[in-house]
Amino acid sequence: MRIRPAGAPDSGLLLRVLLEAYNWNGEERFTAAELAADPYAARYLDGWPRPGDFGVVAEDDDGEPVGAAWARTLTADAPGHGFVAPDVPELTIGVLPGHRGRGTGRALLEALVRAAAARPGPVARLSLSVEDGNPAVRLYVSLGFTAVGRDGGSDTMVLEL
Ligand SMILES: CC(C)(COP(=O)(O)OP(=O)(O)OC[C@H]1O[C@@H](n2cnc3c(N)ncnc32)[C@H](O)[C@@H]1OP(=O)(O)O)[C@@H](O)C(=O)NCCC(=O)NCCS
């Protein structure tokens, strides 16, 4: 497995990963078409990559992408589910089914945190939203994310870099 920076050609992969994140419990709560038509969901990827966006892709030994994590800043007018402040990028992460439980998600998140810390700016905090019941919360807590608020049935979590 290899981690590399995400670029413009990865937008299709990122859309697949966004769909996995929305359908985290294995049910198809959202189809790809519904996700594409959802203005809230679109905020995470519209125009990727915009200035300020950054992300990482995990590839298997054959160079096939198996997951991704990325972050972008949003605004109070058009926030994400994990919006905290306009200077706090919100992250999205997912590993494709069949590739989970082998350390890829942890490696992606650690690489994204390193990328955030290395950005000019610098990035002081990262945020995310995790729905109640998603075991991904254990990964976030283990990396130092703490819950700072609620949005519907989800926790908003923040990592201080
Ligand atoms: C969450 C996700 C990205 C984690 O990636 P992964 O490659 O499966 O995770 P890893 O193998 O690196 O495991 C990291 C930690 O995740 C936690 N975890 C994540 N999913 C889990 C599950 N289904 N059951 C148990 N633990 C889980 C564990 O605490 C694990 O800790 P460990 O390393 O001490 O075992 C992946 O499971 C996924 O894509 N899930 C669906 C999409 C999703 O939920 N995205 C996040 C939305 S907020």
Side-chain angles (χ1 to χ4, degrees):
M1 199 258 294
R2 184 176 88 101
I3 306 276
R4 60 163 175 82
D10 295 309
S11 57
L13 169 70
L14 270 44
L15 187 57
R16 281 170 73 196
V17 165
L18 186 65
L19 192 59
E20 293 298 332
Y22 267 75
N23 291 330
W24 62 267
N25 64 357
E27 292 167 19
E28 194 183 37
R29 296 190 293 177
F30 298 84
T31 65
E34 284 167 347
L35 201 70
D38 180 339
Y40 228 93
R43 289 176 195 156
Y44 292 103
L45 270 181
D46 261 359
W48 168 269
R50 282 190 200 143
D53 290 349
F54 56 100
V56 287
V57 169
E59 294 178 340
D60 67 14
D61 293 341
D62 298 325
E64 289 298 316
V66 296
W70 71 96
R72 84 171 356 168
T73 52
L74 293 167
T75 61
D77 288 350
H81 294 290
F83 179 80
V84 171
D87 63 342
V88 180
E90 178 176 342
L91 73 85
T92 304
I93 184 169
V95 172
L96 299 181
H99 299 275
R100 295 177 186 158
R102 298 179 201 157
T104 303
R106 182 178 294 278
L108 279 168
L109 199 47
E110 288 174 351
L112 192 74
V113 169
R114 280 196 300 275
R119 289 189 70 76
V123 173
R125 290 181 288 167
L126 285 173
S127 78
L128 61 81
S129 175
V130 59
E131 205 172 332
D132 295 346
N134 189 340
V137 71
R138 282 184 248 153
L139 171 62
Y140 305 144
V141 168
S142 76
L143 286 176
F145 283 84
T146 56
V148 296
R150 296 282 295 167
D151 175 58
S154 299
D155 272 341
T156 299
M157 303 187 83
V158 162
L159 177 70
E160 307 272 348
L161 295 175

